[in-house]
């Protein structure tokens, strides 16, 4: 049994688990199936996988793996028919918004930003961001996520502390805005120079933290709040430091109209960003809903990665042309967005929605149904290997292959949510729920076993989150409308 202790960190209780030594070898065998998500989409039935330190040493059939490695390993785990899949990768998250879940339901995007979310975020402290990221991370881990891309909050150091404690991977970015209307006073004073300098300092201090699990990216909130200079300089710095850029792109029609009008561009955001030279292989475009066929081809030609957020899009933005993007060769991954725009931070739910949304939308595009649109295999690629490409780590994560990092999820299908398992591949997309995620390993370390997170104290996090969220609402003077006849 793993030894656990609790310690004080930043005034909050964090559970610290003794980690396996770097040369520790584990054999996981008798898996109902191992979904490798390699280039051949190989699935090993009655499979086994060997983890040595933080890497995958071998993967194959149980009989051959046990014959070769049983005598020399430190631990053997019988999975009793459970499945192994790669760790899921959530490519668009707002960890600092987790404490704002439920404060911006049923409102349009600009009201959502200017009246609810920006006032809330601007009144958060670093400690609040730390608690919010811990709360978000707990939900991510329970849904099988081992890596996420943060779209940008104000307190990256707080996020770093939380990610280090949680034991998962993250690409963290600071939300940067140097122009536009509706900015809170705390943010309106920032200049182009300060936006860039702060991010460069964050990169130098935190890139590679958490034993290499934490990467620092450059963040651009949206084009409505960015000068051309900020856009161009961000690209220059991200390229110089060989890291990524995370930006909300083409979210609503007004955005394209505004860009066309104020920047003398033919269509909208994607066209303008391409004209500036911002698009490239290290550019992660969140949402990308209102793009035309020409812009879809631009995204493909420049190697841009798109994060598709089905629930958030359906709530406020619209139908993104995701099948068209995939057919054009765009790398599309999956994201949940933040809690106030989705409420659920489960990538398992997003997999299900991503398929159904585009099957249904086919009726409006072609006049007939297309149940074959966005098949299960494609959805699984979006949640794994495409996610790895989106966070620029496809050589390390996203599939279960020899030499890659040991980021994996154990799925227990033996429940009413998935039985009978006639087609296990489609069941992973259409039947699986968060409850089926049994255990999660990241970087060769178990961070959840049998539904229990080992790295942090969930009970203490929930208590801290309740208190912090109430205090932020008070400081921001956000008053929510009353609903129904509550007595």
């Amino acid at each position: 049994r793993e030894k656990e202790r609790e310690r004080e960190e930043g005034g909050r209780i964090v559970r610290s688990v003794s980690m396996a030594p770097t040369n520790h070898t584990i054999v996981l065998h008798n898996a109902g199936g191992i979904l490798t998500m390699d280039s051949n989409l190989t699935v090993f039935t009655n499979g086994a996988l060997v983890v040595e330190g933080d890497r995958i040493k071998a993967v194959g059939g149980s009989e051959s793996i046990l014959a070769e490695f049983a005598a020399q390993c430190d631990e053997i785990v019988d999975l009793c028919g459970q499945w192994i899949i790669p760790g899921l990768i959530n490519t668009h998250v707002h960890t600092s918004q987790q404490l704002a879940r439920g404060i911006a339901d049923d409102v349009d995007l600009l009201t959502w930003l200017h009246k609810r979310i920006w006032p809330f975020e601007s009144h958060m402290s670093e400690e609040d961001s730390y608690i919010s990221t811990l709360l978000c991370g707990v939900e991510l881990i329970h849904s099988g996520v081992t890596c996420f891309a943060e779209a940008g909050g104000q307190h990256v150091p707080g996020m770093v502390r939380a990610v280090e404690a949680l034991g998962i991977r993250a690409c963290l970015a600071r939300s940067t805005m140097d122009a536009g209307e509706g900015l809170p006073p705390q943010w309106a004073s920032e200049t182009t120079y300060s936006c860039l300098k702060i991010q460069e300092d964050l990169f130098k201090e935190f890139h590679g933290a958490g034993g290499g699990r934490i990467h620092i990216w450059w963040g651009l909130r949206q084009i409505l709040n960015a000068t051309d200079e900020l856009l161009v300089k961000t690209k220059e710095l991200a390229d110089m430091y060989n890291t990524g850029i995370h930006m909300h792109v083409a979210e609503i029609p007004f955005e394209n109209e505004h860009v066309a009008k104020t920047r003398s561009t033919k269509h909208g955001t994607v066209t303008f960003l391409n004209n500036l030279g911002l698009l490239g292989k290290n550019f992660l475009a969140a949402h990308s809903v209102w793009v035309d066929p020409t812009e879809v081809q631009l995204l493909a030609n420049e190697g841009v990665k798109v994060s598709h957020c089905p629930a958030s899009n359906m709530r406020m933005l619209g139908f993104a042309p995701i099948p068209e993007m995939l057919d054009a060769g765009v790398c599309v991954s999956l994201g949940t967005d933040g809690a106030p725009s989705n409420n659920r931070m489960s990538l398992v739910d997003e997999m299900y929605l991503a398929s159904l949304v585009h099957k249904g939308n086919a009726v409006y595009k072609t006049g007939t149904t297309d149940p074959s649109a966005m098949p299960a295999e494609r959805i699984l690629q979006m949640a794994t290997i495409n996610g790895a490409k989106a966070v620029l780590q496809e050589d390390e994560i996203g599939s279960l292959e020899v030499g890659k990092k040991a980021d994996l999820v154990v799925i227990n299908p033996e429940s009413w949510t998935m039985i009978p398992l006639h087609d296990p591949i489609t069941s992973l997309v259409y039947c699986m729920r968060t409850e089926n995620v049994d255990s999660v390993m990241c970087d060769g370390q178990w961070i959840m076993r049998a539904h229990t997170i080992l790295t942090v104290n969930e009970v203490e996090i929930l208590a801290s989150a309740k208190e912090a969220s109430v205090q932020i609402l008070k400081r921001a003077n956000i008053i929510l409308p009353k609903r129904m006849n509550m007595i």
Side-chain angles (χ1 to χ4, degrees), residues 2-267:
E2 291 174 302
K3 295 180 181 179
E4 299 179 2
R5 60 185 175 86
E6 294 189 336
R7 60 187 171 89
E8 284 284 340
E9 181 176 303
R12 304 296 164 186
I13 298 293
V14 175
R15 180 177 292 122
S16 182
V17 181
S18 57
M19 295 298 182
T22 55
N23 61 347
H24 189 79
T25 302
I26 306 172
V27 173
L28 308 175
H29 75 102
N30 195 19
I34 299 179
L35 194 78
T36 67
M37 298 311 298
D38 64 11
S39 59
N40 296 318
L41 297 182
T42 306
V43 179
F44 292 101
T45 57
N46 188 19
L49 184 145
V50 181
V51 175
E52 184 177 67
D54 62 353
R55 303 259 174 195
I56 297 171
K57 186 176 180 64
V59 59
S62 284
E63 185 176 352
S64 60
I65 291 292
L66 284 172
E68 183 175 356
F69 294 99
Q72 54 186 288
C73 71
D74 299 294
E75 182 182 358
I76 297 177
V77 179
D78 186 347
L79 293 178
C80 301
Q82 296 181 109
W83 278 64
I84 303 176
I85 66 172
L88 303 180
I89 301 169
N90 187 335
T91 58
H92 187 61
V93 183
H94 289 269
T95 59
S96 59
Q97 293 179 3
Q98 193 76 6
L99 296 180
R101 186 183 350 232
I103 74 165
D105 295 330
D106 304 331
V107 297
D108 65 89
L109 180 60
L110 294 182
T111 300
W112 186 93
L113 281 173
H114 297 167
K115 302 297 184 182
R116 305 290 175 81
I117 302 308
W118 285 355
F120 188 93
E121 284 190 277
S122 65
H123 282 84
M124 292 181 71
S125 66
E126 181 180 319
E127 182 69 10
D128 293 327
S129 184
Y130 168 66
I131 296 168
S132 189
T133 304
L134 285 175
L135 182 64
C136 182
V138 164
E139 190 168 359
L140 293 177
I141 293 170
H142 275 293
S143 69
V145 168
T146 54
C147 178
F148 71 89
E150 162 67 47
Q154 297 304 304
H155 302 287
V156 173
M159 299 177 199
V160 169
R161 277 201 295 144
V163 173
E164 286 179 325
L166 289 160
I168 58 179
R169 299 184 194 281
C171 298
L172 303 177
R174 183 178 186 269
S175 177
T176 54
M177 296 173 281
D178 68 343
E181 299 178 357
L183 293 179
Q186 299 94 316
W187 299 350
S189 61
E190 290 206 358
T191 64
T192 304
Y193 173 79
S194 68
C195 287
L196 296 169
K197 180 66 166 60
I198 291 170
Q199 291 188 97
E200 189 172 19
D201 290 344
L202 289 169
F203 182 91
K204 292 177 179 178
E205 183 174 0
F206 295 116
H207 188 72
R213 291 183 286 107
I214 296 172
H215 292 196
I216 301 298
W217 281 31
W218 260 251
L220 291 164
R221 190 77 178 221
Q222 59 177 345
I223 199 165
L224 301 177
N225 298 103
T227 62
D228 293 0
E229 183 183 9
L230 179 62
L231 295 170
V232 172
K233 293 292 186 182
T234 294
K235 171 65 173 173
E236 291 176 359
L237 286 168
D239 287 352
M240 183 175 77
Y241 286 105
N242 192 30
T243 191
I245 302 168
H246 198 153
M247 180 179 181
H248 299 80
V249 173
E251 293 184 280
I252 55 177
F254 171 77
E255 177 184 327
N256 283 337
E257 294 163 5
H258 186 271
V259 171
K261 180 180 178 181
T262 60
R263 262 115 164 182
S264 302
T265 300
K266 183 179 180 181
H267 182 256

